[in-house]
Amino acid sequence: MPSSSIVTLDKNGKEITSVGYNDFGFDSVVPLDALRTLYLRPHYVTTTSDKEASEEANHALFSKGEFAAYQSKSIYSPETSSISYTTLTRFPPVKLLSPSNRKRILVTGGAGFVGSHLVDRLMLLGHDVTVLDNFFTGSKTTVSHWIGHPNFEMVRHDVVEPFMIECDQIYHLACPASPPHYQFNSVKTVKTSFMGTLNMLGLAKRTKARFLITSTSEVYGDPEVHPQTEDYWGHVNPIGPRACYDEGKRVAETLTYGYHRQDGVDVRVARIFNTYGPRMNPYDGRVVSNFIVQALKGEDLTVYGDGTQTRSFQYIHDLIDGLILLMNADETRPVNIGSSDEFTIGEFAKLVRDIVEKVQDEDGVKRERRVQVVYKPIPTDDPQKRRADTTRAKAQLKWQTRWTVRMGLEEMVRYYKAKMAEGSL
């Protein structure tokens, strides 16, 4: 196992020590170490077995310095499979902003994968953050390290029902985003996309808050144009198994621009492409988490179809940079936020296998065998190609991805590996 912390290099070979930008009058720069301690440190430590050392070591590869001290130390006993929780003795340090600079920010779906990383960033920046979540796919543990902080409020609420609050910005992320979750109750998914967006736009209209909705590359369906620009109208099956999500997001965009033109609501639309990173639900059917967990468990990697369909993958920190830039910029047109690094699914499976093997070798973990790639029938309406044209984001937001796929994958592999060592995966 390496004795020092892992150095993260960007696409140009420069070390990444911070994330965020200081543009459009909004400083979103935070130290990378401060962020990592919120998701790469253990939620609890094992005191009754030798696993304690492996947990601490797995997490500490990416966590170092002063920020490692701001952690909960609950006690987990694997013999009885019980846990004794404790609260943080001290919250991570956040910026102290003047009242004129501190914004009241509402994040719907703030306990989900993307939402929790956005909340971490906004909290570290010193803003007042309120999270709305019904915990259908989100988890309270993703933001539990902020509960009790004077700048933070967590509300269990379904956005299908109206919600009243005073705020300056609304990040509307609430909606199941992976096929198993949004297909579980397709009517509810459409209802969340329409009624949830309607309620939040109504709130934005009343409070004069700026409103950002996270739309999706799924609005392009199975595209006939490659890569996809924001002006492409899409190629969507309106009655297929994915339509509840695809068409739900399309009507949510329609509603957003209806409020913008009719009522003057200040809106932003982010079309998010495939994103991966820590806190992804390992069992939600997404390709990245599927591959990593299968490889770590020594199981063969499952590829649906012949592996020639392509995807582009961006790391979570790049996405959060893009969302904050868009919220604070003056661009009201839809903006693609995604990576231009395109892989076939078959190639990507082999890349994940290589990185898992690299991490295992560095940590001295012996494999019983090399995992193989197995192919299964492709699901209905699964797009063959998906890659963002990010010309608009680069021109209007000065945004582009910094994290290489290899670097992001390695951090995610170590996150899942540490979760398995903790016994929480």
Side-chain angles (χ1 to χ4, degrees):
M1 182 177 294
S3 57
S4 59
S5 296
I6 288 171
V7 175
T8 303
L9 303 178
D10 67 12
K11 294 181 175 182
N12 299 316
K14 295 180 181 177
E15 183 178 359
I16 300 177
T17 57
S18 64
V19 291
Y21 293 77
N22 187 359
D23 275 320
F24 309 112
F26 192 95
D27 183 358
S28 67
V29 177
V30 298
L32 182 57
D33 283 343
L35 265 185
R36 279 178 167 161
T37 58
L38 301 180
Y39 61 84
L40 279 175
R41 295 291 297 173
H43 295 295
Y44 46 80
V45 296
T46 310
T47 59
T48 56
S49 103
D50 294 335
K51 286 165 64 178
E52 178 178 357
S54 71
E55 290 169 26
E56 286 290 336
N58 274 307
H59 285 286
L61 284 167
F62 280 105
S63 306
K64 57 186 178 182
E66 58 183 301
F67 301 107
Y70 302 98
Q71 299 302 319
S72 159
K73 290 293 178 186
S74 302
I75 301 170
Y76 170 65
S77 172
E79 288 80 3
T80 58
S81 192
S82 61
I83 181 167
S84 170
Y85 286 105
T86 182
T87 57
L88 286 172
T89 54
R90 184 175 289 276
F91 289 105
V94 303
K95 281 187 181 177
L96 187 59
L97 299 177
S98 65
S100 59
N101 290 326
R102 189 169 64 242
K103 295 188 182 298
R104 300 165 299 175
I105 302 175
L106 176 67
V107 182
T108 71
F113 161 49
V114 174
S116 63
H117 284 280
L118 177 62
V119 167
D120 282 347
R121 187 82 65 90
L122 296 172
M123 283 295 297
L124 290 172
L125 292 170
H127 299 285
D128 286 338
V129 179
T130 301
V131 169
L132 279 194
D133 209 294
N134 69 349
F135 303 119
F136 173 57
T137 58
S139 170
K140 203 180 291 185
T141 58
T142 62
V143 289
S144 59
H145 47 273
W146 294 118
I147 290 176
H149 194 286
N151 292 359
F152 181 79
E153 188 173 2
M154 172 89 239
V155 182
R156 183 190 289 266
H157 182 84
D158 192 324
V159 291
V160 166
E161 304 297 333
F163 184 75
M164 298 300 172
I165 193 173
E166 299 304 315
C167 55
D168 304 307
Q169 294 182 345
I170 300 171
Y171 287 89
H172 180 43
L173 281 64
C175 189
S178 67
H181 290 143
Y182 66 63
Q183 291 172 4
F184 175 77
N185 185 341
S186 59
V187 174
K188 171 70 170 175
T189 299
V190 177
K191 195 174 177 183
T192 299
S193 288
F194 184 80
M195 290 301 299
T197 305
L198 183 74
N199 286 331
M200 291 304 109
L201 281 164
L203 177 62
K205 177 184 172 184
R206 181 181 68 81
T207 59
K208 295 181 172 56
R210 182 171 291 183
F211 176 88
L212 182 148
I213 182 171
T214 52
S215 187
T216 169
S217 58
E218 295 289 343
V219 299
Y220 301 124
D222 189 357
E224 297 164 309
V225 172
H226 196 71
Q228 294 84 52
T229 68
E230 291 88 350
D231 296 325
Y232 177 55
W233 290 356
H235 179 230
V236 176
N237 176 359
I239 59 171
R242 303 168 75 103
C244 58
Y245 184 63
D246 301 3
E247 298 289 21
K249 286 294 189 182
R250 286 165 71 96
V251 78
E253 286 194 20
T254 305
L255 204 54
T256 299
Y257 284 107
Y259 267 80
H260 175 61
R261 296 187 187 103
Q262 187 171 313
D263 298 304
V265 176
D266 195 10
V267 302
R268 306 288 183 268
V269 174
R271 289 178 180 163
I272 299 174
F273 283 68
N274 286 48
T275 305
Y276 67 99
R279 297 196 188 128
M280 278 184 84
N281 184 333
Y283 305 112
D284 69 0
R286 286 182 169 119
V287 64
V288 185
S289 47
N290 273 3
F291 286 165
I292 292 175
V293 172
Q294 285 178 327
L296 284 172
K297 290 184 174 179
E299 300 170 357
D300 290 336
L301 307 187
T302 307
V303 172
Y304 294 96
D306 58 7
T308 58
Q309 66 270 42
T310 66
R311 295 290 185 275
S312 54
F313 299 96
Q314 70 177 333
Y315 196 53
I316 183 65
H317 295 323
D318 283 329
L319 170 61
I320 300 304
D321 286 348
L323 292 178
I324 293 175
L325 281 170
L326 178 59
M327 172 64 91
N328 294 286
D330 291 325
E331 181 57 72
T332 57
R333 297 173 298 174
V335 177
N336 288 339
I337 301 181
S339 170
S340 55
D341 296 332
E342 192 172 12
F343 291 86
T344 68
I345 297 297
E347 288 172 345
F348 191 73
K350 292 170 183 173
L351 176 63
V352 170
R353 179 177 65 184
D354 292 344
I355 290 174
V356 168
E357 288 176 350
K358 171 181 178 285
V359 170
Q360 288 174 333
D361 290 342
E362 286 175 353
D363 294 356
V365 176
K366 292 184 179 180
R367 293 180 295 278
E368 294 181 5
R369 66 181 183 93
R370 190 171 206 216
V371 299
Q372 302 301 311
V373 179
V374 297
Y375 297 87
K376 292 189 176 179
I378 195 166
T380 305
D381 293 341
D382 192 49
Q384 281 299 310
K385 284 193 169 189
R386 186 64 64 67
R387 178 161 68 92
D389 182 316
T390 56
T391 306
R392 183 174 292 174
K394 289 174 184 173
Q396 303 301 318
L397 310 181
K398 303 182 185 68
W399 173 89
Q400 58 185 357
T401 55
R402 296 172 62 204
W403 289 71
T404 65
V405 171
R406 291 191 72 94
M407 206 61 241
L409 277 176
E410 185 171 342
E411 182 166 307
M412 195 170 169
V413 166
R414 291 193 177 277
Y415 168 81
Y416 279 143
K417 187 169 178 289
K419 285 289 180 191
M420 291 171 75
E422 284 183 350
S424 58
L425 185 64

